[in-house]
Amino acid sequence: MKFNTKVIHGGQHPDPHTGAVMTPVYQTSTFAQTSPGKPFHPDYEYARSANPTRSALEQALASIENGAKGLAFSSGLAATDCLIRTLKAGDEVITMNDLYGGTYRMFARIYKDSGIIFHFIDWDDLEHFQTLINENTKLVWVETPTNPLMKLADIEAIAKITKKHNILFAVDNTFATPYLQKPLDLGADIVMHSATKYLGGHSDVIAGALVMKDAELGEKLHFQQFATGAILGPMDSFLVLRGIKTLHLRMQRHCENGQKVAEFLEKHLKVKAVYYPGLPSHSFHDLAKKQMRGFGGMVSFNFQSGEKNDAVSFLERVKIVTLAESLGGVESLANHPATMTHASVPAETRLAVGITDDLVRLSVGIEDIEDLIADLEQALQ
Ligand code: P1T
């Protein structure tokens, strides 16, 4: 099955009881048993373990990411936390210095006293990465493209190294989505999503996902999820499943609009730098062409003046674009990373990686491009 067919049919079956084409919202917490320990249906006992609406979504997730097992969580961070909880004191994780602020906060603060060691590095230089590997290295965690600077990590090259050392390799595929990038095909073991974003696609649900290449690892993480409980509810599962069915169409328009917005900003006199993998000027443009099928809808930029005030007044003036956290919905959003999504990253760490106070991040939606450019132009003026 090819991708556009998979988003609609992958892992999906008509409801066995009614033939309903879309799996209904099974709003139930428990399932009848015919005798103690003998459930009426072999797959369903108690909805923390499995619920048919969530199962339909999880099968769709596995299908579109080419994995053996998908799991749906109550948020992206809950999905990340489920994986990190499988580690123990003394284990080491090699991750990025440019991550979604909430992921950074979890690694740097929530797990601070856990004894798990996190290395936050730049992935331009795979040699530095290799010098950090030792027998305690258990997980490599990358976001590519990163939030908010749109840096890339070479998934295939990293996977070759993690395989050699028997280290698990997880990729946060939120910005790219499986329409643009397939980490499991490139050698990663686990894909994570904030399904709140492009998978849901309509800014109406908070959800997360893990997809495992290997069925045994999938079962291990399912047990972890079942035993700790951060599952996605049936209504939210239904919404993400519905969102996935148009993922390919939405991503095509996000890519078209993202490219045009990036090109417009790059030529604008008030703009200093534009961070978008589809621009030939982007440091990772060649890698993006190699590992992605398109460049997505996320564009960051900063101002010639370098002034926070310029970013703030731009963000106060946009009209069609909405100033809000989050991304990946049909509507365009703008965000000020330094005071919003990445406020929990210490100022000196933010500045060291390039998240300056004049940086603006746009989630370019699927509106008419002429309206978006006109809105950006008036806000820049
Ligand atoms: O918000 P939640 O569903 O828990 O997902 C966390 C998360 C994980 N990974 C990436 C790359 C993300 O962008 C996010 C959430 N990001 C935002 C809310 C944001 O505005 O950047």
Side-chain angles (χ1 to χ4, degrees):
M1 223 189 264
K2 293 177 79 177
F3 189 81
N4 297 351
T5 313
K6 273 189 177 181
V7 293
I8 296 162
H9 298 289
Q12 305 306 300
H13 311 284
D15 180 56
H17 301 297
T18 60
V21 168
M22 186 69 187
T23 304
V25 180
Y26 278 89
Q27 197 73 52
T28 184
S29 59
T30 192
F31 301 86
Q33 308 205 2
T34 51
S35 176
K38 288 210 179 113
F40 183 80
H41 188 292
D43 296 340
Y44 302 107
E45 290 175 6
Y46 183 59
R48 177 157 32 74
S49 165
N51 170 293
T53 320
R54 195 169 91 238
S55 300
L57 168 62
E58 292 178 336
Q59 285 156 19
L61 290 166
S63 167
I64 60 177
E65 285 287 7
N66 294 339
K69 175 88 180 164
L71 293 171
F73 291 84
S74 54
S75 70
L77 288 182
T80 303
D81 187 52
C82 180
L83 175 60
I84 302 298
R85 274 165 184 275
T86 61
L87 303 175
K88 59 179 190 321
D91 287 350
E92 298 187 24
V93 180
I94 306 178
T95 184
M96 313 193 87
N97 58 10
D98 184 36
L99 285 172
Y100 165 56
T103 310
Y104 174 84
R105 181 176 53 209
M106 183 194 300
F107 293 174
R109 288 174 52 190
I110 298 297
Y111 282 98
K112 184 163 161 277
D113 300 322
S114 67
I116 302 167
I117 296 157
F118 291 86
H119 301 274
F120 297 93
I121 67 164
D122 211 317
W123 287 85
D124 297 2
D125 176 7
L126 287 186
E127 280 185 15
H128 176 47
F129 157 54
Q130 295 190 70
T131 62
L132 291 172
I133 295 175
N134 64 60
E135 78 254 23
N136 296 325
T137 312
K138 294 287 151 56
L139 176 69
V140 166
W141 177 281
V142 301
E143 218 176 84
T144 180
T146 60
N147 180 357
L149 289 170
M150 309 299 295
K151 292 183 186 170
L152 267 64
D154 188 333
I155 299 173
E156 205 169 13
I158 296 169
K160 282 198 184 118
I161 301 167
T162 53
K163 282 215 162 48
K164 200 166 81 193
H165 295 275
N166 206 16
I167 300 167
L168 271 186
F169 178 25
V171 176
D172 181 337
N173 204 26
T174 300
F175 271 31
T177 83
Y179 179 72
L180 300 179
Q181 172 173 280
K182 300 239 181 18
L184 301 184
D185 290 358
L186 295 171
D189 303 298
I190 302 172
V191 162
M192 176 267 164
H193 277 277
S194 170
T196 315
K197 311 299 186 299
Y198 290 104
L199 298 187
H202 296 76
S203 303
D204 51 9
V205 62
I206 297 279
L210 291 179
V211 182
M212 278 58 65
K213 179 90 182 160
D214 172 65
E216 204 178 311
L217 179 63
E219 282 319 312
K220 180 178 167 185
L221 285 159
H222 180 216
F223 175 74
Q224 184 81 14
Q225 182 197 39
F226 160 70
T228 54
I231 50 141
L232 192 64
M235 185 65 208
D236 290 347
S237 297
F238 177 89
L239 288 172
V240 177
L241 186 58
R242 185 168 71 166
I244 286 174
K245 287 175 191 277
T246 54
L247 178 66
H248 54 310
L249 296 175
R250 288 184 284 108
M251 289 314 292
Q252 283 165 23
R253 181 62 72 84
H254 283 297
C255 289
E256 281 168 32
N257 283 359
Q259 185 76 34
K260 286 182 183 147
V261 164
E263 285 168 6
F264 160 77
L265 290 170
E266 195 172 44
K267 283 196 227 101
H268 204 283
L269 290 177
K270 293 226 164 119
V271 172
K272 184 165 162 207
V274 181
Y275 304 90
Y276 182 71
L279 292 176
S281 61
H282 190 267
S283 333
F284 297 93
H285 182 59
D286 289 340
L287 177 56
K289 280 196 291 192
K290 190 180 92 169
Q291 75 181 12
M292 298 172 74
R293 172 186 182 178
F295 308 111
M298 298 303 297
V299 182
S300 296
F301 69 97
N302 55 18
F303 287 81
Q304 282 295 356
S305 65
E307 292 293 335
K308 178 178 175 183
N309 281 349
D310 276 352
V312 171
S313 57
F314 168 83
L315 291 165
E316 287 172 352
R317 281 174 171 77
V318 283
K319 292 194 176 102
I320 291 174
V321 178
T322 304
L323 172 60
E325 301 210 9
S326 205
L327 59 109
V330 289
E331 66 285 288
S332 294
L333 300 180
N335 161 54
H336 186 236
T339 55
M340 294 167 66
T341 50
H342 292 70
S344 57
V345 180
E348 61 281 8
T349 312
R350 273 201 316 264
L351 287 177
V353 294
I355 307 174
T356 51
D357 286 355
D358 65 330
L359 186 77
V360 166
R361 188 193 74 188
L362 299 174
S363 171
V364 181
I366 63 172
E367 300 96 335
D368 276 313
I369 188 64
E370 294 80 5
D371 291 331
L372 291 181
I373 301 265
D375 192 30
L376 299 176
E377 176 62 41
Q378 66 78 25
L380 283 165
Q381 290 311 324

